[in-house]
Amino acid sequence: MTDKKTSDNTSAENGGAAKTSADEGPIARRYFLLGAGTAVAAGLAPAAPVAAQAPPPSPSAPPAAEPEPLLTLTATEHAFFAAAADTIIPADELSPSGSECGVATFIDRQLAGAYGTGARLYRDGPFPKGKPELGYQLALTPREFFRAGVAAANAWTRKTYGKDFDRLSAPERETALKTMEEGKAQFPGFTSTMFFNALLQISMEGFFADPIYGGNRHLASWKMIGYPGLPATYREEIRTYFGKKYDKPPHSIADFS
């Protein structure tokens, strides 16, 4: 089992998050959210008269993000990563969903760059089957690995559910990812556990990385955990905030560029 998404949903009370059981809600977010609950409060506004004009959008709501051009992912792959991110990081009272936070955009940018091409990987072989604790041992670049993994995941969900992963319902996507995590989904070339672990890792990075890299849109994850962001010197605030909550808003690299 990996450290993030197991069926036992562990919740912490830090930040006022409620504790949930393993059978409730979407996949456990304990390694993203340090055990945040998944309950979402929802309400319906009363219907307006037919002749009434729709009220203007709330000024406090962040503007809808324009679709980002894809650098390397296909539309099918992007749809997979967006659906996976929303399953791993469902929208709740703590943060927007993974896709709303730009996780799929982050993945696209990472796979289009030096990381995706395996610039720092030794790839001259040989490539014998290694022990799980040795980590990634394939000849594929990360871009090739994720391409093959998404294709294998969609092939497995089509065989199991009759449709691609992003077309599944939320409970079906959760079950599908848990099955991959446990290595019970049959993937050619590598295990579904290996793919799940890589998907989990890059989704986590996209959710918590500096927004300049495409994820963590509107600093959502930093606001959630109280991380101040880029500033690394707090000498002037030590006396003011000693023993108190640091309540200044976080700042990204872009704020100082």
Side-chain angles (χ1 to χ4, degrees):
M1 266 310 168
T2 62
D3 276 334
K4 169 161 188 219
K5 228 187 243 233
T6 54
S7 57
D8 59 315
N9 211 353
T10 314
S11 291
E13 298 191 3
N14 295 336
K19 200 170 187 179
T20 58
S21 71
D23 298 328
E24 293 177 349
I27 287 182
R29 299 170 63 187
R30 59 192 174 118
Y31 295 97
F32 274 112
L33 314 182
L34 304 179
T38 55
V40 180
L44 296 176
V50 176
Q53 194 171 13
S58 171
S60 61
E66 291 292 328
E68 298 248 2
L70 297 178
L71 302 181
T72 185
L73 296 180
T74 66
T76 298
E77 291 167 344
H78 182 268
F80 174 90
F81 285 119
D86 287 347
T87 309
I88 296 169
I89 315 167
D92 61 11
E93 71 279 4
L94 297 172
S95 77
S97 69
S99 65
E100 291 174 322
C101 289
V103 169
T105 299
F106 172 87
I107 294 173
D108 178 54
R109 293 184 184 181
Q110 291 298 303
L111 296 182
Y115 165 74
T117 60
R120 295 190 174 186
L121 293 179
Y122 177 81
R123 298 178 53 243
D124 289 339
F127 296 95
K129 185 176 181 180
K131 296 180 180 180
E133 59 267 25
L134 297 179
Y136 185 81
Q137 297 289 314
L138 300 179
L140 302 174
T141 65
R143 177 67 185 96
E144 294 167 343
F145 174 75
F146 278 109
R147 178 185 290 123
V150 171
N154 278 334
W156 179 79
T157 57
R158 283 195 299 270
K159 181 179 179 181
T160 306
Y161 299 97
K163 60 188 84 171
D164 282 354
F165 179 82
D166 64 285
R167 302 297 180 90
L168 302 179
S169 66
E172 288 173 336
R173 292 199 308 266
E174 180 183 348
T175 300
L177 286 184
K178 287 180 178 178
T179 304
M180 295 177 203
E181 180 188 18
E182 295 166 356
K184 296 179 180 179
Q186 298 302 313
F187 282 21
F190 47 83
T191 66
S192 61
T193 299
M194 182 180 290
F195 175 69
F196 173 84
N197 289 342
L199 173 64
L200 177 64
Q201 179 66 32
I202 200 169
S203 298
M204 186 184 306
E205 292 169 356
F207 187 57
F208 285 111
D210 192 289
I212 201 170
Y213 300 109
N216 191 12
R217 194 170 288 153
H218 305 300
L219 301 163
S221 69
W222 290 1
K223 293 175 182 177
M224 178 188 69
I225 63 176
Y227 179 63
L230 182 62
T233 302
Y234 302 95
R235 184 169 56 184
E236 302 302 324
E237 282 100 346
I238 288 177
R239 293 184 179 179
T240 303
Y241 288 95
F242 185 78
K244 300 178 183 178
K245 179 181 179 181
Y246 186 78
D247 57 3
K248 289 188 177 182
H251 295 283
S252 77
I253 296 172
D255 295 328
F256 297 86
S257 300

